[in-house]
Amino acid sequence: MLARFVEQDKEIKELFYQKIKEKEEREKQKHLDKISEGFFGWLLEPIADVAYTWRRISEKEQGSSGENSVGLALHLWLPSNAVVINDLVLEVEPDEFIQVDHLVLNTNGIFVLETKSWDGAFLGTKDKWRMKQGNKWVEVQSPTKQNERHVKLFKKWLEENLPDLHERVKEHIYPIVIFKRAKWVKAKDCSMPVVIGGMEAVGEIRKVKGENISEEDINLIIETVKNAKPLDHEEWKRKHSKRKEEDEKRYQVTTGKTSSGKMYVRILGTKEDTQKVAEEYKNQNYTISEIRQDKKDKNVWFFYYS
């Protein structure tokens, strides 16, 4: 028996693509505006326009053939109770999209797969990636960091849309990066498995043992994904503004600096409240320390940030 394919609603998916296109156009215009501000901006702007457009098209075309062949391998070699969703598009928060090449749902886990159809030799060390060009190693965009972002945003989407389910499955979401056409790949101390081809990806998925996710939860994710729509931005802002106000009523946050200059955040509330505040700081690219409980007041928790 073959793994089952599930697709997003095509009409809804087109709405996602339209919103992504509009976002790309805005980003492109910002890029061109910066160039035009320069001394020779009027001369360079047409060249930059062509270069930017060509790069975006090239990036999209580069991935399609690899994604198709990996999807076929997943379909053929995963068990019949596995579900494969190819080219999944979601809007997590206003204008924050994720495009997952393959999402695999199975009772042993949820797998977020990023496929790269790059040619050549690649070396990844601690999520920093380089490509060999002649006798030199040149830094390239990190596929593991890219997929790490996908997993983070997918978890955020689950928490927003299926909060109870998110708590049950969040520890069983696994990222994998797949190189399809690379001649040589070596990954050392990266945050996730890196494999070559769909068959090796199937092998990584099968390594995860246990009945970690129920079929009911898998079906709930499928139905929610199939019907996921682009966000109504104004409604999202109202909802989250109200939620923030409710949170602020429930706990108190104070910030300050220690005598040694370390910045801290103290929360009068629960550890869960503190974790939520810490996550907000992480989303603003701060580095967060471990969360600790105040020794004198057990209702106070704190963390340092930099």
Coordinates of all heavy atoms in Angstrom, one line a residue, residues 53-70 101-102 114-120 122 131 133 140-141 143 146 178-182:
T53 N 14.1 40.2 -10.3 CA 13.1 39.3 -10.9 C 13.7 38.0 -11.3 O 13.1 36.9 -11.1 CB 12.4 40.0 -12.1 OG1 11.9 41.3 -11.7 CG2 11.3 39.2 -12.6
W54 N 14.8 38.0 -12.0 CA 15.4 36.7 -12.5 C 15.8 35.9 -11.3 O 15.6 34.6 -11.4 CB 16.7 37.1 -13.3 CG 17.4 35.8 -13.8 CD1 17.1 35.2 -15.0 CD2 18.4 35.1 -13.1 NE1 17.9 34.1 -15.1 CE2 18.7 34.0 -14.0 CE3 19.1 35.2 -11.9 CZ2 19.7 33.0 -13.6 CZ3 20.0 34.3 -11.6 CH2 20.3 33.2 -12.4
R55 N 16.3 36.4 -10.2 CA 16.7 35.7 -9.1 C 15.5 35.0 -8.4 O 15.6 33.8 -8.1 CB 17.4 36.5 -8.0 CG 18.0 35.7 -6.9 CD 18.8 36.6 -5.9 NE 18.1 37.6 -5.2 CZ 18.1 38.9 -5.4 NH1 18.8 39.4 -6.3 NH2 17.4 39.7 -4.6
R56 N 14.4 35.7 -8.3 CA 13.2 35.1 -7.7 C 12.6 33.9 -8.6 O 12.3 32.9 -8.1 CB 12.1 36.1 -7.6 CG 12.4 37.3 -6.7 CD 12.7 36.9 -5.3 NE 11.5 36.3 -4.6 CZ 11.4 35.8 -3.4 NH1 12.5 35.9 -2.6 NH2 10.3 35.3 -2.9
I57 N 12.6 34.1 -9.9 CA 12.2 33.1 -10.8 C 13.1 31.9 -10.8 O 12.7 30.7 -10.7 CB 12.1 33.6 -12.3 CG1 11.0 34.6 -12.4 CG2 11.8 32.4 -13.3 CD1 10.9 35.4 -13.7
S58 N 14.4 32.1 -10.7 CA 15.4 31.0 -10.7 C 15.2 30.2 -9.4 O 15.3 29.0 -9.4 CB 16.8 31.6 -10.8 OG 17.8 30.6 -10.6
E59 N 15.0 30.9 -8.3 CA 14.8 30.2 -7.0 C 13.6 29.3 -7.1 O 13.7 28.1 -6.6 CB 14.7 31.2 -5.9 CG 16.0 31.9 -5.5 CD 15.7 33.1 -4.5 OE1 14.5 33.3 -4.2 OE2 16.7 33.7 -4.1
K60 N 12.5 29.7 -7.7 CA 11.3 28.9 -7.7 C 11.5 27.7 -8.7 O 11.1 26.6 -8.4 CB 10.1 29.7 -8.2 CG 9.7 30.8 -7.1 CD 8.7 31.7 -7.7 CE 8.3 32.7 -6.6 NZ 7.3 33.7 -7.1
E61 N 12.1 27.9 -9.9 CA 12.3 26.9 -10.8 C 13.3 25.8 -10.4 O 13.1 24.6 -10.6 CB 12.7 27.4 -12.2 CG 11.7 28.2 -12.9 CD 12.1 28.8 -14.2 OE1 13.4 28.7 -14.4 OE2 11.3 29.2 -15.0
Q62 N 14.3 26.2 -9.6 CA 15.3 25.3 -9.1 C 14.8 24.2 -8.3 O 15.2 23.1 -8.3 CB 16.4 26.1 -8.4 CG 17.7 25.6 -8.5 CD 18.7 26.5 -7.7 OE1 18.4 27.2 -6.8 NE2 20.0 26.5 -8.2
G63 N 13.7 24.5 -7.5 CA 13.2 23.5 -6.6 C 12.2 22.6 -7.1 O 12.0 21.5 -6.6
S64 N 11.5 22.9 -8.2 CA 10.3 22.1 -8.6 C 10.6 20.7 -8.9 O 9.9 19.8 -8.5 CB 9.6 22.8 -9.7 OG 10.5 22.9 -10.8
S65 N 11.6 20.4 -9.7 CA 11.9 19.0 -10.2 C 12.3 18.2 -9.0 O 11.9 17.0 -8.9 CB 13.0 19.0 -11.2 OG 14.2 19.5 -10.7
G66 N 13.1 18.7 -8.1 CA 13.5 17.9 -6.9 C 12.3 17.6 -6.0 O 12.2 16.5 -5.5
E67 N 11.4 18.6 -5.8 CA 10.3 18.4 -4.9 C 9.4 17.3 -5.5 O 8.9 16.5 -4.7 CB 9.5 19.7 -4.8 CG 10.2 20.8 -4.0 CD 9.6 22.1 -4.1 OE1 8.3 22.1 -4.4 OE2 10.2 23.1 -3.8
N68 N 9.2 17.3 -6.8 CA 8.3 16.3 -7.4 C 8.9 14.9 -7.2 O 8.1 13.9 -6.9 CB 8.1 16.5 -8.9 CG 7.3 17.8 -9.2 OD1 6.6 18.2 -8.3 ND2 7.5 18.4 -10.3
S69 N 10.2 14.6 -7.4 CA 10.7 13.3 -7.3 C 10.8 12.9 -5.8 O 10.6 11.7 -5.5 CB 12.2 13.3 -7.9 OG 13.0 14.2 -7.2
V70 N 11.0 13.8 -4.9 CA 11.0 13.4 -3.5 C 9.6 13.1 -3.1 O 9.4 12.1 -2.3 CB 11.5 14.6 -2.6 CG1 11.3 14.4 -1.1 CG2 13.0 14.8 -2.9
D101 N 7.9 22.3 1.6 CA 7.9 21.5 0.4 C 7.1 20.2 0.6 O 6.4 19.8 -0.3 CB 9.4 21.1 0.1 CG 10.2 22.3 -0.4 OD1 9.6 23.3 -0.9 OD2 11.4 22.3 -0.3
H102 N 7.3 19.5 1.8 CA 6.6 18.3 2.1 C 6.3 18.2 3.6 O 7.3 18.4 4.4 CB 7.4 17.0 1.7 CG 7.9 17.1 0.3 ND1 7.2 16.9 -0.8 CD2 9.2 17.4 -0.1 CE1 8.0 17.0 -1.9 NE2 9.2 17.3 -1.5
E114 N 12.4 20.0 3.8 CA 12.9 21.1 2.9 C 13.7 20.4 1.8 O 14.7 19.8 2.1 CB 13.7 22.1 3.7 CG 14.3 23.2 2.8 CD 13.3 24.2 2.2 OE1 12.2 24.3 2.7 OE2 13.7 24.8 1.2
T115 N 13.4 20.6 0.6 CA 14.1 20.0 -0.6 C 14.9 21.1 -1.3 O 14.4 22.1 -1.6 CB 13.1 19.4 -1.5 OG1 12.4 18.4 -0.9 CG2 13.8 18.7 -2.7
K116 N 16.2 20.7 -1.6 CA 17.1 21.6 -2.3 C 17.6 20.9 -3.6 O 18.1 19.8 -3.5 CB 18.3 22.0 -1.5 CG 17.9 23.0 -0.4 CD 17.3 24.2 -0.8 CE 16.9 25.2 0.3 NZ 16.2 26.4 -0.2
S117 N 17.3 21.5 -4.7 CA 17.8 20.9 -6.0 C 19.1 21.6 -6.5 O 19.3 21.9 -7.7 CB 16.7 21.0 -7.1 OG 15.6 20.2 -6.7
W118 N 20.0 21.8 -5.6 CA 21.3 22.4 -5.9 C 22.3 21.4 -6.4 O 22.4 20.3 -6.0 CB 21.9 23.1 -4.6 CG 21.0 24.2 -4.0 CD1 20.0 24.8 -4.6 CD2 21.2 24.7 -2.7 NE1 19.5 25.8 -3.7 CE2 20.2 25.7 -2.6 CE3 22.1 24.5 -1.7 CZ2 20.1 26.5 -1.4 CZ3 22.0 25.3 -0.5 CH2 21.0 26.3 -0.4
D119 N 23.0 21.9 -7.5 CA 24.1 21.1 -8.0 C 25.4 21.4 -7.3 O 25.6 22.6 -6.9 CB 24.2 21.3 -9.5 CG 23.0 20.8 -10.3 OD1 22.6 19.6 -10.0 OD2 22.5 21.5 -11.2
G120 N 26.3 20.4 -7.2 CA 27.6 20.7 -6.7 C 27.9 20.0 -5.4 O 27.3 19.1 -5.0
F122 N 28.6 20.5 -1.2 CA 28.1 21.4 -0.1 C 28.6 20.8 1.2 O 28.6 19.6 1.5 CB 26.6 21.4 -0.1 CG 26.0 22.1 -1.3 CD1 25.7 21.3 -2.4 CD2 25.8 23.4 -1.4 CE1 25.2 21.8 -3.6 CE2 25.3 24.0 -2.6 CZ 25.0 23.2 -3.7
M131 N 29.4 26.2 -0.4 CA 29.4 25.5 -1.6 C 30.8 25.6 -2.3 O 31.4 26.7 -2.3 CB 28.3 26.1 -2.6 CG 28.3 25.5 -3.9 SD 27.1 26.3 -5.0 CE 27.3 25.3 -6.5
Q133 N 33.2 26.3 -5.1 CA 33.3 26.9 -6.4 C 34.8 27.0 -6.8 O 35.5 27.8 -6.2 CB 32.7 28.3 -6.3 CG 31.2 28.3 -6.2 CD 30.5 29.7 -6.3 OE1 31.2 30.7 -6.3 NE2 29.2 29.7 -6.2
V140 N 26.7 30.0 1.4 CA 25.4 30.0 0.8 C 24.3 30.1 1.9 O 24.6 29.9 3.0 CB 25.2 28.8 -0.1 CG1 26.1 28.8 -1.3 CG2 25.3 27.5 0.7
Q141 N 23.1 30.4 1.4 CA 22.0 30.4 2.3 C 21.8 29.0 3.0 O 21.9 28.0 2.4 CB 20.7 30.7 1.6 CG 19.4 30.8 2.5 CD 18.2 30.9 1.7 OE1 18.0 30.3 0.6 NE2 17.2 31.6 2.2
P143 N 20.2 25.9 4.4 CA 18.9 25.2 4.3 C 18.4 24.7 5.6 O 17.2 24.6 5.8 CB 19.2 24.1 3.3 CG 20.7 23.9 3.4 CD 21.3 25.2 3.7
Q146 N 16.8 27.7 7.3 CA 15.6 27.9 6.7 C 14.5 27.0 7.2 O 13.4 27.4 7.5 CB 15.8 27.8 5.2 CG 14.5 28.1 4.4 CD 14.7 27.9 2.9 OE1 15.7 27.4 2.4 NE2 13.7 28.3 2.1
I178 N 16.6 17.8 2.5 CA 16.9 16.8 1.4 C 17.7 17.5 0.3 O 17.1 18.5 -0.3 CB 15.7 16.2 0.9 CG1 14.8 15.6 2.0 CG2 16.0 15.1 -0.2 CD1 13.4 15.2 1.6
F179 N 18.9 17.1 0.0 CA 19.5 17.5 -1.3 C 19.2 16.5 -2.4 O 19.4 15.3 -2.2 CB 21.0 17.6 -1.0 CG 21.5 18.9 -0.3 CD1 21.5 18.9 1.1 CD2 21.9 20.0 -1.0 CE1 21.9 20.0 1.8 CE2 22.4 21.1 -0.3 CZ 22.3 21.1 1.0
K180 N 18.7 17.0 -3.5 CA 18.3 16.1 -4.5 C 19.3 15.8 -5.6 O 19.6 14.6 -6.0 CB 17.0 16.6 -5.2 CG 16.5 15.8 -6.4 CD 16.2 14.3 -5.9 CE 15.9 13.5 -7.2 NZ 15.9 12.1 -6.8
R181 N 20.0 16.8 -6.0 CA 21.0 16.6 -7.1 C 22.4 16.9 -6.8 O 23.3 16.8 -7.6 CB 20.6 17.6 -8.3 CG 19.1 17.4 -8.8 CD 18.9 18.0 -10.2 NE 19.4 19.4 -10.3 CZ 18.7 20.4 -10.8 NH1 17.5 20.2 -11.1 NH2 19.2 21.5 -10.9
A182 N 22.7 17.2 -5.5 CA 24.1 17.5 -5.1 C 25.0 16.3 -5.3 O 24.6 15.1 -5.1 CB 24.1 17.9 -3.7

